[in-house]
Amino acid sequence: MSFDAAFIGYKNYFTAAASTLSAVGVTSGYSVNSLKNWQPFSFVSFDAGSNSITIDCGSAVSVDYFAIAAHELFTSNTDNIILKASALSNFSTSVTLATINNTSSGVYDGSYRFNTSTNIPSQTVNDNYVVCLKLDSVSYRYYRLEFTSSVAVRIAVMCLGQRTEFELGFYKGIQPPKLNEDIVVTNNKSESGVYLGRSIVRTGVKPTTINLDKMSHSWLENTWLPFKQSAEVNPFIFSFGNTPLYNNQFCYQTSFAPVKYDDRIGGGHGSCGITFEGVIK
């Protein structure tokens, strides 16, 4: 079985120097500019009500993925989560790129603009999993996320840019992020050995290694190396497939395999790889 639907999102206009952020509903004492980095501990808080986050990219830019990580949207039963794009700053005309609806407490469905339109089947979302949407490519200057919440919510990481797809589907040995979560706990006992409960020390995803072989030289040089240079400094989003509300991971690399040319220079094939860790919520 090959995982041909997997992709990486690392190009992010939210962190670009040319981008300007604005928002409606920000809680006093917080700044929407907390979203201008990849840090999950640097968040912006929004009051209960109708809220929005707008990014002005400075000029029209092409995007084909959108992600949200380190957020509280699902456990707060946030509704009417809508991603829009426009050529106009006031969004008097716009296109809808994604809609995520809270149909009942903790149950979500919706659709997103991939292959013209792809449905998000109704599903129970019981935690604040990383959201990642694969989109048909569009080019606009302004993008806006709208949402309605009955309580205050926090968002720390937003990503908007162009996804990096694998030249070939990779095979076996890869666990879906949702099934690969690793929770480290401490079991507490009394002096007499009676079990007193446990404390969670750390949650995350076990290390994942992707080894890629028979990649073309042009893919290694033009696709893999730019990603590698970014991931040496910044986190990235790994999406296992076309599952917007789960099986997406906020990642950081721990090591890269050497990039090798396995045959003739100029028109042959080569190999590369990465090991990474991270979180799914």
Side-chain angles (χ1 to χ4, degrees):
M1 175 182 177
S2 65
F3 304 118
D4 298 312
F7 67 92
I8 286 172
Y10 76 94
K11 298 176 182 178
N12 186 5
Y13 285 109
F14 271 86
T15 65
S19 297
T20 303
L21 306 185
S22 59
V24 173
V26 175
T27 304
S28 177
Y30 291 86
S31 172
V32 70
N33 287 322
S34 295
L35 298 175
K36 283 188 68 66
N37 59 59
W38 283 95
Q39 305 304 333
F41 54 81
S42 175
F43 57 83
V44 57
S45 176
F46 290 87
D47 294 328
S50 298
N51 303 302
S52 66
I53 303 165
T54 301
I55 176 172
D56 174 359
C57 298
S59 60
V61 296
S62 296
V63 305
D64 58 17
Y65 94 96
F66 174 75
I68 312 173
H71 64 88
E72 298 176 336
L73 296 177
F74 296 137
T75 56
S76 63
N77 287 310
T78 300
D79 197 6
N80 302 318
I81 304 171
I82 302 172
L83 177 65
K84 296 180 178 180
S86 179
L88 303 173
S89 60
N90 62 4
F91 282 75
S92 56
T93 60
S94 64
V95 298
T96 297
L97 302 181
T99 300
I100 303 174
N101 305 305
N102 182 6
T103 59
S104 62
S105 182
V107 179
Y108 285 84
D109 65 9
S111 63
Y112 57 108
R113 189 166 169 163
F114 178 61
N115 291 333
T116 305
S117 181
T118 299
N119 289 330
I120 301 174
S122 179
Q123 56 199 270
T124 299
V125 184
N126 56 15
D127 215 328
N128 294 310
Y129 296 110
V130 175
V131 176
C132 190
L133 301 162
K134 178 186 285 189
L135 304 170
D136 292 333
S137 181
V138 297
S139 181
Y140 290 92
R141 174 171 174 171
Y142 304 95
Y143 298 87
R144 174 176 291 172
L145 181 72
E146 300 175 352
F147 55 95
T148 303
S149 178
S150 59
V151 297
V153 296
R154 295 177 175 181
I155 301 176
V157 177
M158 290 181 63
C159 310
L160 181 75
Q162 296 172 320
R163 65 181 182 268
T164 295
E165 295 191 335
F166 298 95
E167 189 175 42
L168 299 173
F170 46 91
Y171 293 80
K172 67 183 180 181
I174 305 297
Q175 283 287 94
K178 188 176 181 181
L179 301 181
N180 202 30
E181 190 172 24
D182 186 30
I183 301 177
V184 179
V185 301
T186 296
N187 292 317
N188 302 308
K189 295 183 291 184
S190 70
E191 291 181 356
S192 59
V194 176
Y195 174 67
L196 299 177
R198 60 177 42 175
S199 302
I200 295 177
V201 177
R202 183 175 61 255
T203 62
V205 177
K206 293 179 181 178
T208 298
T209 298
I210 297 175
N211 289 313
L212 303 171
D213 195 12
K214 295 181 172 58
M215 302 292 109
S216 68
H217 291 179
S218 62
W219 187 88
L220 289 170
E221 293 174 358
N222 299 322
T223 302
W224 183 256
L225 285 181
F227 160 66
K228 180 177 182 293
Q229 290 166 354
S230 175
E232 287 171 345
V233 179
N234 299 311
F236 58 94
I237 303 293
F238 172 63
S239 180
F240 189 74
N242 298 327
T243 49
L245 306 187
Y246 68 98
N247 267 344
N248 305 301
Q249 184 175 339
F250 179 83
C251 310
Y252 55 92
Q253 67 86 16
T254 57
S255 64
F256 282 102
V259 178
K260 296 181 179 179
Y261 282 174
D262 297 331
D263 48 23
R264 69 184 185 278
I265 295 176
H269 297 92
S271 60
C272 61
I274 183 175
T275 299
F276 56 88
E277 300 179 15
V279 295
I280 61 173
K281 56 189 178 183

